Amino acid sequence: MKSLPFCFFAAAVFCVTSVASMHAEQSPAERVTEIQAALRDAKLDGWLFYDFRHSDPLAYRILKLDEKMFVSRRWFYYVPVSGEPVKIVQSIEQFKLDTLPGRKLVFRGWQELHARLRDVLGAAAKKSKSLIAMEYSPMNDIPYISRVDAGTIELVRSFGVEPVTSAELVQRFEAVFSPAQHQMHVEASDKMHRIIGEAFSEIARRIRANEPTTEWDIAQFMLHRYKEEGMQEEPMIVAVNANTANPHYMPTKEKNLPIRRGDFVLIDAATKLNKPDAVATDQTWTGYVGESVPEEYSRIFNIVREARDSAVDFVRKNIRAGKPIRGAEVDDVSRSVITRADFGEQFTHRTGHSIGEETHGNGVNIDDFETRDSRRIISGVCFSIEPGIYQEEKFGVRSEINVYVSDKDIEVTGQPIQTEIIAILKTANDPNPHTKPTKDTAARSK
């Protein structure tokens, strides 16, 4: 594993079991109390939230502000590790943070803004090496957290405090599932697994009936099934042959390919239940329109499967042992399998992403490729594992599963996971032959 730069969070052990939910019913005052507890755990002096024209959507979610609120001026909200929070707001928008607890400081011009910040942060600066969390990532290692511009970081430093990344804090408040969210994820994953199986069966039905079908047709079939199952109708990837080598290809009504015998098919679908606070599921399966799968496809799939399962085994082993691990480490484990097979150049994206209320959530990503994600994998988070090999103008293989982390173990949802490419025309009478667990599948899920 590549060495990561020292970060003060390396010594922080977060007690996340007390976090109720990413968006549970909670008053702003209760949220501030929870933030202060998190600051004590992290040994930080405060958390300074800053926004200009919704430059930091994370602040609105974490502070439980109206995410559609009209704001045209800068505001700051400082939560000290103990004591009363402070709101710093511009005079013509001085009521924007009234739902939050704390005293209000109003400024008119930039000189007054600087003076207010100096008054608030100067008290913290009296302590040596005061550490103030902000939505900032050193060296832009985690761009998803880099919401505060460099100039504002310079301004804050000028008052004698040291801004540090809030990445681990954001994960604690944005990426930890409540028990209800975990159950909604499991339900959505099971439904998605079934719908993907039905999509392969629909391809088989159409092929056997000599009914012309396209990538777009199968996508529409899946959207209809989403609606029937009470899931949000999010577009998905249905790709054939060379299109499967484009990781983010998506068919449209105007641009799509037909699906015929002898074609290689990839389906990557993500959505969530139509329920408040629901969280996403995201799965990728591959199939071949024939009675058996040619070796050129199965050989690549087997490498991808090993990379996927090696990452899962690494996470499971360390979580069970109580050893802290980071997203970047898991990426390294998975990527090394593909690199050893001489396909490293064809693995062109991170191994996985955080899953939350959005498909790409705000927690730890399984990434030491696109970014260097040094965040810890903590209890209550969920993420994808989805290595791939993409041979341009030929085909690409990706296998995607979701991993939920509990206190002392992990759960791979959407069982059974794929262990071989689906021979779509293999079984005429069984509409979903691949959904039946095998001994191999059962072993992998444990």
Side-chain angles (χ1 to χ4, degrees):
M1 183 255 179
K2 301 172 187 174
S3 62
L4 298 171
F6 175 78
C7 174
F8 74 94
F9 281 109
V13 178
F14 289 102
C15 179
V16 297
T17 55
S18 62
V19 179
S21 166
M22 291 193 290
H23 283 287
E25 291 300 325
Q26 187 181 50
S27 71
E30 290 171 329
R31 173 47 60 94
V32 167
T33 299
E34 194 176 8
I35 288 172
Q36 290 180 321
L39 291 170
R40 288 192 294 273
D41 289 344
K43 296 180 173 56
L44 297 177
D45 298 292
W47 192 347
L48 182 62
F49 294 90
Y50 162 72
D51 182 69
F52 177 57
R53 296 183 176 181
H54 287 274
S55 59
D56 184 9
L58 296 171
Y60 288 82
R61 292 172 60 140
I62 292 168
L63 295 172
K64 299 188 172 294
L65 295 170
D66 180 359
E67 295 179 46
K68 298 181 180 179
M69 178 195 306
F70 172 77
V71 284
S72 63
R73 301 297 193 273
R74 290 177 287 181
W75 61 257
F76 290 82
Y77 186 64
Y78 180 61
V79 181
V81 66
S82 61
E84 185 181 25
V86 182
K87 298 171 274 192
I88 303 176
V89 288
Q90 211 275 338
S91 58
I92 68 171
E93 293 186 347
Q94 61 182 282
F95 306 109
K96 294 295 184 179
L97 302 185
D98 279 3
T99 58
L100 299 177
R103 63 189 176 100
K104 181 193 298 186
L105 299 178
V106 178
F107 68 92
R108 292 169 296 179
W110 65 267
Q111 297 94 336
E112 288 187 358
L113 170 60
H114 288 199
R116 301 291 184 267
L117 283 168
R118 186 178 295 107
D119 290 343
V120 172
L121 298 178
K126 293 177 182 177
K127 299 174 61 177
S128 61
K129 296 183 180 179
S130 293
L131 303 176
I132 306 298
M134 296 188 75
E135 274 73 273
Y136 147 73
S137 181
M139 300 299 292
N140 198 33
D141 275 354
I142 309 175
Y144 315 96
I145 299 298
S146 289
R147 304 290 183 170
V148 181
D149 62 279
T152 300
I153 294 294
E154 292 170 354
L155 175 63
V156 170
R157 280 203 180 109
S158 74
F159 301 126
V161 299
E162 182 58 31
V164 296
T165 182
S166 62
E168 296 279 11
L169 292 170
V170 168
Q171 172 166 249
R172 176 168 174 167
F173 289 97
E174 271 290 295
V176 173
F177 286 6
S178 70
Q181 286 174 319
H182 170 232
Q183 289 303 313
M184 285 189 283
H185 169 73
V186 170
E187 180 183 348
S189 296
D190 290 344
K191 288 182 175 182
M192 177 67 78
H193 180 272
R194 185 165 61 251
I195 291 170
I196 290 175
E198 291 170 357
F200 284 126
S201 297
E202 178 66 7
I203 293 172
R205 184 193 68 77
R206 289 171 177 244
I207 294 296
R208 293 189 184 104
N210 292 319
E211 181 180 334
T213 191
T214 66
E215 298 166 328
W216 177 253
D217 292 332
I218 299 305
Q220 296 310 296
F221 169 84
M222 292 182 66
L223 287 174
H224 177 71
R225 288 293 294 118
Y226 284 1
K227 185 176 182 179
E228 291 180 335
E229 293 286 353
M231 304 170 79
Q232 293 189 1
E233 297 174 57
E234 297 291 340
M236 76 291 295
I237 296 171
V238 179
V240 170
N241 299 334
N243 284 342
T244 64
N246 178 354
H248 276 183
Y249 167 81
M250 196 167 289
T252 66
K253 186 176 182 179
E254 295 75 26
K255 186 177 180 180
N256 58 78
L257 287 180
I259 301 176
R260 303 187 178 102
R261 285 180 181 268
D263 284 346
F264 181 72
V265 181
L266 181 147
I267 297 176
D268 181 343
T271 189
K272 62 182 182 179
L273 301 178
N274 276 317
K275 294 181 180 180
D277 301 330
V279 291
T281 183
D282 191 359
Q283 301 175 33
T284 302
W285 283 66
T286 49
Y288 177 78
V289 187
E291 287 77 18
S292 62
V293 179
E295 195 271 341
E296 66 170 322
Y297 299 113
S298 59
R299 181 174 70 91
I300 299 299
F301 177 86
N302 290 341
I303 298 169
V304 169
R305 181 186 64 192
E306 182 184 352
R308 179 198 71 192
D309 293 348
S310 294
V312 172
D313 291 344
F314 177 78
V315 175
R316 179 183 289 114
K317 175 183 175 182
N318 283 281
I319 293 298
R320 286 179 175 175
K323 292 181 61 177
I325 53 172
R326 304 177 186 279
E329 295 177 77
V330 185
D331 182 90
D332 292 344
V333 169
S334 182
R335 193 167 304 278
S336 68
V337 173
I338 292 176
T339 300
R340 286 196 303 271
D342 294 327
F343 287 100
E345 294 295 317
Q346 285 75 50
F347 184 9
T348 55
H349 57 73
R350 63 193 174 194
T351 295
H353 59 81
S354 169
I355 293 174
E357 293 189 32
E358 292 83 21
T359 301
H360 290 196
N362 293 312
V364 58
N365 293 314
I366 308 306
D367 191 5
D368 196 19
F369 179 70
E370 298 178 47
T371 69
R372 182 166 46 181
D373 202 319
S374 58
R375 286 176 290 185
R376 292 177 176 234
I377 294 176
I378 61 175
S379 176
V381 302
C382 184
F383 49 84
S384 70
I385 296 288
E386 48 180 305
I389 295 174
Y390 307 95
Q391 302 180 86
E392 290 187 14
E393 299 183 3
K394 293 180 66 179
F395 67 93
V397 176
R398 181 169 63 257
S399 181
E400 181 179 14
I401 59 175
N402 299 167
V403 175
Y404 171 78
V405 182
S406 60
D407 289 342
K408 296 181 180 179
D409 209 340
I410 66 170
E411 175 186 1
V412 178
T413 58
Q415 290 289 338
I417 62 175
Q418 186 168 19
T419 58
E420 59 185 14
I421 294 174
I422 305 309
I424 295 174
L425 301 180
K426 182 177 181 180
T427 306
N429 297 320
D430 188 343
N432 289 304
H434 65 285
T435 62
K436 290 179 170 56
T438 64
K439 291 182 180 179
D440 186 35
T441 304
R444 293 177 190 278
S445 68
K446 291 180 181 178

